[in-house]
Amino acid sequence: MPTKKTVNKPEAEEAPAKKAAAPKAEKAPVEKKAAPKKTAAEKKPAAEKKAAPKAAAKTAAEPAEVKTVKKPAARKAPAKEAAAEKPVRKTAKKETVKAAPVEEAAQESAAEQAAPVVEQAAPAVEQAAPAVEQAAPAVEPAEEVQLPQPRRSVAFIGSECYPFVKTGGLGDVMYALPKALIKQNCDVKVILPRYRCIPQKYQDKMVYRGEFWMNLCSDGRSFYVGIMEYVWDGVVYDFIDNEDFFGYGNPYTNLIDDIPRYCFFAKAALAALNYMNWVPDIIHCHDWQAALVPVYLRTLFNGTSVASAKTVFTIHNLRFQGVYNIATIKYWTGLPDHVFSYEVMKQGRDDANMLKGGLTYADRITTVSATYAGEIQTPFYGDGLDGHLRYHSDRLRGIVNGIDVEQWDSSADKRLAACYNRETVLEQKRANKRALQEALGLEVDEGKFVIGLISRLTDQKGLDLVNAILPALVDGNTQVAVLGTGDAQYEESFRNFEQTFKGSVCAYIAYDESLAHRIYAGADALLVPSLFEPCGLTQLIAMRYGTVPVVRETGGLKDTVQPFNEFTNEGNGFTFDRYEAGLLLDAINRAKTLYFTQRERWDEMVRRDMDKDVSWDSSAVQYRNLYLELKP
Ligand code: ADP
């Protein structure tokens, strides 16, 4: 295990921390916030602390400067051997770690075994070899692919990424977009927290890349930053390791814990780039958990090497902003006073809004559909930031999400009862439907119209509308399969419906990646009646699996589902506009009418949906062009 130097803990650390960190009484239990968990730094034996006595005097304004640690000898060891050397996690909390909402049985693509293309700047210090999967000896020279020029390097910074950890669409995008950007001649490094809940099989493949101590808080308190690396499919994943912040629970617990951990993460990600001497052309940050990256970059990291990078900030969901009282955020970030002004991060009387700070400092702001880019500039969808977004609208644009068409491929999906393509869909979908009905305890009858709903169970997703109409849906010919977790009120209501309509309604209250695949394949239609939907991926996956979406015309749902036109026989699904239960019921009834009375036209739509391009290809080109605007 490599040794590490430490910086001295500043004298009298606890007292000022308590004072500065005291959150607003109505928001958080003062004690917890005010007296953060004992840090690894604090737990260091005294002898070790002496190692760098002067460092304590350093301010957070020197974040990129790190203490060089004793380096492991440079090795070309295979992943397994390298992994054995990784530093053991420190001081695990006793708390039971709830299974994370991650893909346990990730389909490891053939590419995982192939040699990834790893091109990156040589690190300034000797480091462990990254965990590059071993290359099979080349048999035939690969066909030469012309990549667009010039090459650009991009660091993705975000809080989740399939298959390591995923709670929703952000996890999908963090996985699929880097892969698509590689085909656009981008060199991509993805920086993530090393959560304890990441499945062991991935933890085992990570290789120690280095470590340092970083000043974080306004009182100069410093924290351990470890970097663990895993290279897969051409993408380099660097995991920021710190047991105190990421060693317990699921990625998102509550703001009391989440605010400090993502303050730490944003700064550590930038410091890690400097440490690895890998200065990308573009730093692409995602959602509030990474929103402080542009703020740090243009303040405390000014003058360090990474400051030459341009930043893109993507809003995946404006609902979540990372808002907390200024005193707490000021303490945890060590950011200068001027960023706590209304123009930058201040909100209301004494709150700071981390997402707002990211929007202020990013060179470009994107969101995940053109319609949502317009919507968030209005009071209804703007979640309090519409004015700020209108002010910065010259830097804002929408680029619609795609899906990874290898991950979502009905012709090779091992989880399905029967794989299918556009030629075999009609027959094989029936087989998948029967298997699904059997698995979920629904009456097995391929003649029934099966409606799927795969969703976080929250107000955003239009579930009050579904609750209002569900009894009217169950007419003897229709079945409903719900898969989701979330707000107790919806979990409860769907369970009740299952009891009331046994055999016709199933409520599977869980996060289950495998079942999600089987519902996409076995259902005839998929409901997405969201109140707002930045992009939405479930309707894209549904179409790819020949399942007709029924959606509300908002955000990305509006941009990706063309309403069925009975006169021209065009369109991909059924839509409604105003947020009303009656309109949702009407849209579902139109779908059912077509299904039961004009099956050939329904079947044509199924094939049209499967033919639709829902891949990342064209959106990745748009991101690349955006990067080139910033770094021609
Ligand atoms: P959001 O990000 O708002 O949750 P998206 O439609 O963008 O919604 O992405 C949802 C992703 O999460 C999809 O890949 C969907 O299949 C998946 N998903 C949502 N709920 C579940 C669940 N309970 N089990 C398995 N997958 C789920």
Side-chain angles (χ1 to χ4, degrees):
M1 181 173 138
T3 58
K4 33 195 161 300
K5 283 188 182 173
T6 68
V7 290
N8 260 358
K9 180 177 69 148
E11 294 290 302
E13 180 179 283
E14 294 286 26
K18 273 184 185 159
K19 208 166 167 202
K24 287 197 305 199
E26 76 271 21
K27 278 210 163 166
V30 170
E31 256 54 60
K32 178 138 198 204
K33 181 54 92 197
K37 294 180 280 277
K38 264 200 165 294
T39 68
E42 290 164 323
K43 288 168 196 158
K44 291 268 107 190
E48 258 189 273
K49 283 189 187 161
K50 281 194 196 118
K54 286 214 178 110
K58 280 186 185 295
T59 67
E62 300 160 308
E65 201 179 310
V66 293
K67 303 280 156 288
T68 314
V69 294
K70 190 177 156 203
K71 297 145 269 180
R75 291 166 296 134
K76 290 213 167 59
K80 262 196 185 146
E81 186 206 316
E85 279 203 36
K86 71 181 183 245
V88 177
R89 276 185 175 277
K90 298 188 300 268
T91 60
K93 285 195 129 196
K94 291 238 168 67
E95 195 172 319
T96 323
V97 180
K98 198 177 152 206
V102 292
E103 161 72 324
E104 265 305 331
Q107 286 170 304
E108 304 202 359
S109 67
E112 197 184 1
Q113 274 89 48
V117 182
V118 187
E119 278 189 26
Q120 58 186 61
V125 289
E126 278 178 70
Q127 277 143 14
V132 180
E133 303 287 323
Q134 290 298 289
V139 185
E140 301 223 331
E143 212 178 288
E144 217 174 276
V145 185
Q146 285 297 323
L147 292 174
Q149 298 298 327
R151 188 165 173 81
R152 284 290 166 261
S153 54
V154 189
F156 266 53
I157 304 181
S159 58
E160 59 180 85
C161 178
Y162 171 94
F164 312 110
V165 58
K166 168 181 159 185
T167 70
L170 172 63
D172 287 315
V173 175
M174 291 285 291
Y175 165 72
L177 180 53
K179 281 177 62 188
L181 284 169
I182 283 175
K183 293 188 201 144
Q184 295 304 318
N185 202 11
C186 290
D187 182 9
V188 192
K189 196 186 260 297
V190 180
I191 303 186
L192 299 161
R194 185 193 181 191
Y195 303 109
R196 176 168 283 266
C197 62
I198 292 172
Q200 196 57 42
K201 65 175 177 175
Y202 298 115
Q203 304 267 7
D204 290 344
K205 287 177 177 168
M206 295 176 192
V207 166
Y208 172 78
R209 184 80 204 276
E211 65 182 51
F212 55 90
W213 288 82
M214 176 185 81
N215 289 347
L216 180 70
C217 304
S218 57
D219 57 6
R221 191 166 156 208
S222 75
F223 289 85
Y224 169 84
V225 180
I227 307 171
M228 301 297 292
E229 191 159 281
Y230 174 42
V231 182
W232 177 30
D233 239 1
V235 181
V236 178
Y237 298 90
D238 280 320
F239 295 87
I240 301 296
D241 190 22
N242 180 294
E243 182 74 10
D244 293 304
F245 289 115
F246 305 127
Y248 60 97
N250 287 321
Y252 318 121
T253 43
N254 54 67
L255 275 188
I256 300 168
D257 291 324
D258 290 351
I259 292 284
R261 64 159 60 155
Y262 293 114
C263 290
F264 166 80
F265 174 60
K267 192 172 185 183
L270 287 176
L273 287 173
N274 273 341
Y275 174 83
M276 292 185 281
N277 198 20
W278 195 82
V279 177
D281 297 311
I282 304 291
I283 297 179
H284 191 157
C285 335
H286 301 263
D287 273 356
W288 78 266
Q289 296 90 347
L292 287 184
V293 169
V295 185
Y296 274 121
L297 195 70
R298 301 293 169 236
T299 54
L300 302 184
F301 282 73
N302 243 341
T304 71
S305 15
V306 74
S308 66
K310 297 286 187 187
T311 54
V312 175
F313 181 75
T314 296
I315 304 167
H316 294 262
N317 193 334
L318 191 62
R319 175 60 56 92
F320 309 106
Q321 300 180 358
V323 179
Y324 219 82
N325 66 71
I326 288 177
T328 301
I329 294 188
K330 207 182 233 183
Y331 171 72
W332 277 104
T333 57
L335 282 164
D337 288 348
H338 68 86
V339 304
F340 296 95
S341 62
Y342 278 110
E343 292 70 32
V344 185
M345 277 174 73
K346 188 169 179 183
Q347 174 173 303
R349 223 164 63 90
D350 46 19
D351 280 339
N353 182 327
M354 288 162 60
L355 185 115
K356 186 178 174 187
L359 299 177
T360 309
Y361 278 106
D363 295 303
R364 288 287 185 281
I365 304 163
T366 70
T367 188
V368 289
S369 68
T371 295
Y372 193 61
E375 286 175 343
I376 55 178
Q377 297 179 55
T378 66
F380 181 78
Y381 293 99
D383 270 302
L385 286 180
D386 49 297
H388 195 69
L389 284 159
R390 283 195 300 279
Y391 184 77
H392 292 288
S393 59
D394 56 326
R395 290 185 282 117
L396 168 66
R397 76 183 64 170
I399 300 177
V400 76
N401 283 340
I403 55 170
D404 186 293
V405 290
E406 285 168 22
Q407 180 194 348
W408 299 104
D409 179 3
S410 60
S411 69
D413 190 335
K414 294 195 192 92
R415 296 173 172 105
L416 306 190
C419 292
Y420 57 90
N421 55 30
R422 75 180 302 288
E423 312 309 328
T424 56
V425 56
L426 302 180
E427 199 189 318
Q428 302 298 31
K429 218 172 203 314
R430 284 198 288 274
N432 282 303
K433 185 191 282 191
R434 285 194 303 273
L436 181 68
Q437 290 168 324
E438 215 163 294
L440 296 183
L442 297 168
E443 188 190 335
V444 180
D445 178 351
E446 61 186 47
K448 300 272 194 261
F449 184 70
V450 176
I451 301 174
L453 179 91
I454 300 171
S455 179
R456 287 184 292 117
L457 302 181
T458 69
D459 286 339
Q460 176 195 334
K461 299 293 181 178
L463 303 171
D464 49 342
L465 302 188
V466 179
N467 278 345
I469 62 153
L470 205 135
L473 271 188
V474 186
D475 57 4
N477 294 316
T478 310
Q479 296 178 341
V480 181
V482 177
L483 169 63
T485 53
D487 296 354
Q489 79 179 94
Y490 294 121
E491 294 190 349
E492 201 49 39
S493 65
F494 284 119
R495 280 196 185 106
N496 284 339
F497 282 127
E498 181 181 87
Q499 286 303 316
T500 313
F501 302 106
K502 273 213 160 72
S504 294
V505 175
C506 170
Y508 201 94
I509 306 301
Y511 188 97
D512 189 322
E513 191 84 26
S514 170
L515 182 57
H517 283 243
R518 288 179 285 143
I519 294 177
Y520 287 121
D524 296 295
L526 189 94
L527 280 193
V528 201
S530 306
L531 175 62
F532 68 94
E533 194 59 75
C535 178
L537 297 179
T538 58
Q539 83 281 9
L540 301 180
I541 302 168
M543 288 189 278
R544 172 115 173 112
Y545 277 58
T547 302
V548 174
V550 178
V551 307
R552 178 162 173 260
E553 290 168 17
T554 184
L557 298 172
K558 186 172 181 183
D559 295 355
T560 57
V561 180
Q562 187 193 347
F564 175 63
N565 182 326
E566 58 181 311
F567 303 106
T568 62
N569 208 28
E570 289 171 328
N572 311 100
F574 293 86
T575 70
F576 64 104
D577 53 9
R578 290 191 312 282
Y579 191 74
E580 288 172 19
L583 296 184
L584 169 61
L585 183 59
D586 176 62
I588 297 172
N589 283 338
R590 279 184 277 128
K592 278 162 71 169
T593 305
L594 192 75
Y595 180 85
F596 284 116
T597 64
Q598 299 185 60
R599 184 63 66 85
E600 324 74 61
R601 297 181 84 192
W602 176 274
D603 293 344
E604 279 165 25
M605 181 149 50
V606 166
R607 291 210 166 97
R608 246 189 336 269
D609 282 358
M610 292 189 79
D611 289 341
K612 189 176 161 73
D613 181 9
V614 290
S615 76
W616 270 105
D617 292 350
S618 80
S619 297
V621 171
Q622 292 178 59
Y623 276 112
R624 177 187 158 80
N625 291 340
L626 179 68
Y627 301 156
L628 287 172
E629 270 174 39
L630 294 169
K631 281 277 175 104

